[in-house]
Each structure stands twice: as C-alpha cells, then as structure tokens.
C-alpha cells in the first residue's frame, strides 16, 4: 500500500484514479464516480485495495459537493475540482457512497486489512465523510417536506 497519509486522496491508488477522472471528458466524469462507488458497494467477495481506495476518493468528491462537505484541497485530487469546478452528480450518490465506505471498512476488505496491519483501528476521515453523506440529522418533531 503506497499511502503517505490517511486522507481519501493520500495513496497511490486514489491518486491514480483521480488522474483518470481529471483526464476524462467532463461529461464522462459523473459516470466514473458512480462506477467507483458501485464497484465497491456491490462487491460481495474480497474487496481489493485499489477498488476500495478509488471508492473512498469518489465518496470524498461526492461529500465535497454537499452541504457541510469540505472543499477539495488535496493536491492529489483532480485538478478541475481544485480549480473550483463541480460535477453534476445524481441525488442517489450520497447513499451509494455510504454503502461503498461501509464496504471498504468491512471485514472482507483489503483496505481495512492493510490499515489494520498498520495499527489503525479508527478511521476519522472516513467517519467524517460518512457523516456529511448522511446529511443533517432530523430534529425531534421535524416534519419531512415532500
């Protein structure tokens, strides 16, 4: 695992995926984000490190475009996001991103295994992304607007 920090873009696999996202034609980028998330979320076998790292980076991109999300600031993220561009992402992606993050943190994940070997037992960066993707909690007595 080539990682230099615990951020969603701070490893070779995520940086490579972000480079591919940057190089893609703008209309293809949302589908690439969806594909990275779907690959991880729907994996029922052993989740490969590269797939998990790509999904975590994709989840961070989705979270960055939500209320309460941190703007993308990592130099390893796609340059177009660092320049302030955004993606037209579908409304179902936050839930898909949560599922992908949960899968990356699961027992059958190489990403989780490798970080466990490195002594990590908590993942604050992932937990923060998950909280943003979940949206603000409903207040007691709040009525949902349909």
């Amino acid at each position: 695992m080539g990682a230099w920090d615990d951020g969603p873009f701070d490893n070779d696999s995520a940086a490579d995926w972000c480079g591919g996202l940057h190089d893609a034609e703008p209309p293809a980028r949302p589908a690439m984000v969806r594909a990275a998330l779907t690959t991880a979320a729907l994996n029922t076998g052993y989740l490969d490190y590269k797939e998990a790292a790509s999904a975590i980076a994709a989840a961070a991109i989705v979270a960055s475009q939500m209320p309460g999300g941190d703007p993308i600031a990592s130099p390893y993220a796609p340059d177009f996001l660092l320049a302030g561009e955004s993606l037209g992402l579908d409304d179902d992606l936050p839930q898909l991103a949560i599922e992908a993050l949960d899968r990356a943190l699961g027992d059958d994940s190489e990403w989780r295994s490798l970080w466990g070997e490195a002594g990590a037992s908590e993942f604050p960066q992932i937990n923060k992304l998950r909280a943003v993707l979940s949206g603000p909690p409903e207040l007691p007595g709040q009525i949902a607007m349909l």
Side-chain angles (χ1 to χ4, degrees), residues 4-61:
W4 45 89
D5 206 349
D6 66 348
F9 305 106
D10 297 337
N11 61 77
D12 291 331
S13 295
D16 289 346
W17 181 81
C18 287
L21 184 65
H22 176 78
D23 292 342
E25 292 296 320
R29 291 171 178 162
M32 291 178 68
V33 171
R34 178 178 294 282
L37 297 171
T38 301
T39 297
L42 298 182
N43 182 306
T44 58
Y46 191 71
L47 183 62
D48 179 68
Y49 177 83
K50 183 177 178 179
E51 292 171 346
S54 298
I56 292 167
I61 290 169

Side-chain angles (χ1 to χ4, degrees), residues 42-145:
L42 298 182
N43 182 306
T44 58
Y46 191 71
L47 183 62
D48 179 68
Y49 177 83
K50 183 177 178 179
E51 292 171 346
S54 298
I56 292 167
I61 290 169
V62 173
S64 76
Q65 298 191 25
M66 296 185 63
D70 290 334
I72 300 294
S74 171
Y76 304 104
D79 290 340
F80 71 92
L81 291 173
L82 292 170
E85 293 180 44
S86 63
L87 294 169
L89 300 175
D90 294 331
D91 292 341
D92 68 321
L93 285 186
Q95 180 58 42
L96 184 60
I98 290 168
E99 293 169 18
L101 291 175
D102 289 349
R103 186 64 187 86
L105 289 176
D107 292 335
D108 225 9
S109 166
E110 184 179 22
W111 186 91
R112 172 70 184 240
S113 296
L114 290 172
W115 277 104
E117 288 174 10
S121 61
E122 295 185 23
F123 303 96
Q125 296 274 359
I126 301 296
N127 293 334
K128 183 175 182 182
L129 288 176
R130 196 175 192 297
V132 169
L133 293 163
S134 296
E138 286 191 29
L139 299 174
Q142 184 177 10
I143 299 173
M145 299 296 287

